[in-house]
Amino acid sequence: MTLTLNDPISLGSLSLKNRLIMAPLQQYKGTPEAFPTDHHIEHYSRRAGHVALIILESTAISSSGRLWENDIGIFTDQHVEPLRKITEAIHEHQTPVFIQLSHGGRKSSPEVTHTLVAPSAIAFDEYYGTPESLSPDGIKKVIEEYRLAAKRSIEAGFDGIEIHAAHGFLIHQFLSPLSNIRTDRYGGNSENRSRFLKEVLAEIRSEVGKDYPVTIRISATDYCQGGLTPEEWAKMLKPLESELDAIHVSTGGLLPVQPDDVYTAYQVPHAAAIKQHLNIPVIAVGKIYTRSLANRIIEDQLADCIAIGSPILEDPDFAASLLLTQQ
């Protein structure tokens, strides 16, 4: 049977009505205390009618890990109720919603972060400045913040969690040898560099249980020699596969460099390369803007789901037109 964008799929225990996902995109509308506002309720509920899943924008697990001064967070119990208003509004459309949990590490906003931390004291650029290398106790503290964020995510009514391990943020920094030069059990070979992710995932699972959907967003390449590749990602993720329900494949962000060419579906080859090694669903993202292209990616088994960001951000009815169009 030929699969299309309209066919259902399961991410772990969660059944999706089709394979179109609203990708996480920042709204830059959070309060100074990282609370969402009425804008978020209206924005996400307006776009919830046709997509199979919404992934909320990056949500900080720590006051010291916010990506922007106007992002949103889940690092206190007071954040739960405002976030619940968003999930309830989305659920009125019978659409599930995941929260994307993040910590910026060395790319945390200098405007709202007093102490910049990272696996190693290597700056992203002059704007962010040089971070402090996390001590073992500091690592434990951040992992505990992920656990508490997972607990609050369930309380806020989210149907799943996406771990943000892409775009040069803290987990990505631990995983890449370009940003992690530690000599302890969290640095060195790929097994050690993936230890932080493994422990974060274990703590999240300790809160949500084995049947609650947990996915991960990754940057398949660092666009730099010596950085991560799809093959190394697959090697690091394979031991964690039984604890994950999907892999969302993006690229870049670890270094202030850009790909040579950003063309239609430019990240799909990376998703396809990772899919060859793993058995859980792979989500492709990046300039996949027509139904015919999305169907071809799914039919050719290059990916299992398609995430779309900017067109849905700009046009709340874009998903409906994509799913109903037969070209």
Side-chain angles (χ1 to χ4, degrees):
M1 182 182 74
T2 300
L3 294 173
T4 72
L5 192 63
N6 289 76
D7 283 301
I9 190 173
S10 294
L11 303 186
S13 62
L14 181 66
S15 297
L16 301 184
K17 62 187 177 184
N18 59 58
R19 296 169 182 242
L20 180 60
I21 295 171
M22 180 176 167
L25 282 178
Q26 296 306 118
Q27 294 303 294
Y28 307 105
K29 298 285 188 178
T31 70
E33 301 80 21
F35 291 109
T37 66
D38 288 345
H39 165 84
H40 296 87
I41 299 170
E42 296 165 5
H43 172 80
Y44 287 109
S45 63
R46 178 66 178 83
R47 289 157 176 79
H50 291 275
V51 294
L53 171 67
I54 287 177
I55 304 176
L56 209 68
E57 63 198 86
S58 172
T59 308
I61 59 103
S62 170
S63 61
S64 297
R66 295 177 64 183
L67 307 187
W68 296 276
E69 60 182 328
N70 51 9
D71 65 1
I72 60 175
I74 193 168
F75 48 83
T76 73
D77 291 342
Q78 286 67 48
H79 287 94
V80 171
E81 185 57 31
L83 288 166
R84 186 186 290 120
K85 293 178 180 178
I86 300 174
T87 63
E88 289 175 349
I90 294 170
H91 287 157
E92 288 181 2
H93 298 271
Q94 290 74 53
T95 298
V97 53
F98 286 12
I99 186 170
Q100 187 187 69
L101 299 182
S102 72
H103 188 300
R106 70 179 187 177
K107 288 179 70 177
S108 299
S109 169
E111 285 78 17
V112 290
T113 302
H114 299 296
T115 304
L116 207 64
V117 297
S120 301
I122 303 172
F124 175 79
D125 62 14
E126 291 183 0
Y127 167 72
Y128 287 102
T130 303
E132 293 183 5
S133 177
L134 276 165
S135 67
D137 285 343
I139 289 174
K140 290 179 182 178
K141 180 178 183 292
V142 175
I143 293 172
E144 173 67 2
E145 288 174 323
Y146 271 100
R147 184 189 69 78
L148 291 171
K151 179 177 182 290
R152 296 182 186 117
S153 297
I154 292 180
E155 293 170 355
F158 288 96
D159 302 287
I161 287 170
E162 178 170 271
I163 299 171
H164 201 342
H167 303 160
F169 302 130
L170 184 61
I171 295 177
H172 187 180
Q173 292 161 30
F174 268 93
L175 291 163
S176 177
L178 298 178
S179 49
N180 181 351
I181 57 171
R182 299 176 74 97
T183 57
D184 63 3
R185 60 198 298 267
Y186 292 97
N189 59 33
S190 60
E191 180 180 358
N192 283 354
R193 284 184 280 111
S194 62
R195 192 182 305 278
F196 179 69
L197 169 59
K198 181 179 179 180
E199 293 179 356
V200 166
L201 180 56
E203 284 301 299
I204 289 175
R205 279 288 176 210
S206 75
E207 278 296 332
V208 304
K210 63 182 180 63
D211 295 326
Y212 186 82
V214 177
T215 67
I216 186 170
R217 195 176 206 195
I218 69 168
S219 284
T221 174
D222 293 330
Y223 293 115
C224 183
Q225 186 174 1
L228 292 173
T229 64
E231 291 71 28
E232 187 169 16
W233 267 109
K235 179 182 177 182
M236 292 189 292
L237 291 175
K238 191 65 178 178
L240 306 177
E241 187 174 19
S242 63
E243 301 297 322
L244 292 167
D245 295 296
I247 299 168
H248 188 177
V249 182
S250 186
T251 60
L254 184 78
L255 305 172
V257 298
Q258 300 295 325
D260 293 333
D261 187 16
V262 178
Y263 50 89
T264 299
Y266 72 106
Q267 295 177 144
V268 170
H270 301 296
I274 287 173
K275 183 170 169 59
Q276 292 177 19
H277 300 279
L278 300 169
N279 298 313
I280 55 178
V282 169
I283 304 166
V285 68
K287 293 189 174 296
I288 307 168
Y289 295 163
T290 67
R291 178 184 174 85
S292 58
L293 176 58
N295 281 343
R296 189 161 73 248
I297 292 166
I298 293 170
E299 181 181 355
D300 292 346
Q301 300 182 42
L302 304 179
D304 302 284
C305 298
I306 305 298
I308 295 180
S310 296
I312 296 178
L313 181 69
E314 296 163 4
D315 177 7
D317 297 313
F318 181 83
S321 65
L322 197 70
L323 289 164
L324 297 174
T325 303
Q326 296 302 316
Q327 81 267 19

